[in-house]
Amino acid sequence: MATEETLVLIKPDGVARGLTGAILARVEAKGYSLVDLRLVEPDRARLEQHYAEHAGKPFYEPLVEFMMSGPSVAIRLAGNRVIEGFRSLAGTTDPTTAAPGTIRGDLGRDWGLKVQQNLVHGSDSPESAVRELQIWFG
Ligand code: IDP
Ligand code: MG
């Protein structure tokens, strides 16, 4: 089977809390390969592209604002079934209820209604991965 690639973002809360190394350690320990990695301060246009599927939802504007609040680490990650596998490592969207053992479950915390502060992003399908890697790595 061909090796797959996904886009992983360590969101501004992960970078600000100094969790970049801890998150990368989990990804590397799982056996995935770092193909490219960069610290990025995305502008609104890039985030509107990235989160186009969520435009108009109540959490959209706070999400875009949050993602502009500081740098993120963008990672091109490769491995067998890495799209599904990273989503599994990340845990479900809300860090309060994400399973222990996952990045969000172990390291994410509930800051009031700010569910958007859940440390990481991972592409959710092969189509999303291609689209998102183009947005963040060109
Ligand atoms: P995912 O990151 O687990 O794939 P999505 O549903 O694609 O979750 O949502 C994208 C991002 O939007 C989430 O990671 C989170 O930061 C934010 N988000 C999703 N749902 C909510 C919500 O109900 N309130 C606030 N933020 C949300
Ligand atoms: Mg998503």
Side-chain angles (χ1 to χ4, degrees):
M1 179 188 274
T3 296
E4 206 172 63
E5 289 189 342
T6 194
L7 174 77
V8 170
L9 300 175
I10 301 177
K11 295 183 179 182
D13 56 334
V15 174
R17 288 176 54 203
L19 294 173
T20 299
I23 292 167
L24 286 175
R26 289 172 179 238
V27 166
E28 290 193 296
K30 183 78 175 176
Y32 297 135
S33 302
L34 306 178
V35 178
D36 200 351
L37 182 154
R38 58 177 71 157
L39 194 71
V40 190
E41 296 198 58
D43 60 13
R44 177 174 288 273
R46 185 184 299 206
L47 292 166
E48 286 180 350
Q49 258 190 296
H50 177 77
Y51 281 125
E53 66 173 305
H54 296 304
K57 294 181 185 173
F59 62 83
Y60 176 74
E61 186 55 32
L63 174 62
V64 170
E65 291 290 330
F66 161 61
M67 293 295 291
M68 289 194 300
S69 69
S72 288
V73 174
I75 303 153
R76 181 188 289 273
L77 192 66
N80 184 41
R81 296 176 70 193
V82 68
I83 296 171
E84 184 185 6
F86 178 77
R87 299 271 298 180
S88 177
L89 282 185
T92 52
T93 306
D94 181 347
T96 297
T97 53
T102 65
I103 293 167
R104 288 165 170 170
D106 285 350
L107 308 174
R109 34 189 208 205
D110 178 19
W111 288 335
L113 297 175
K114 296 179 177 172
V115 177
Q116 68 264 20
Q117 300 196 9
N118 58 3
L119 297 171
V120 289
H121 167 85
S123 307
D124 63 7
S125 68
E127 297 71 31
S128 299
V130 168
R131 192 182 76 84
E132 294 173 359
L133 284 166
Q134 175 64 31
I135 292 168
W136 292 83
F137 287 97

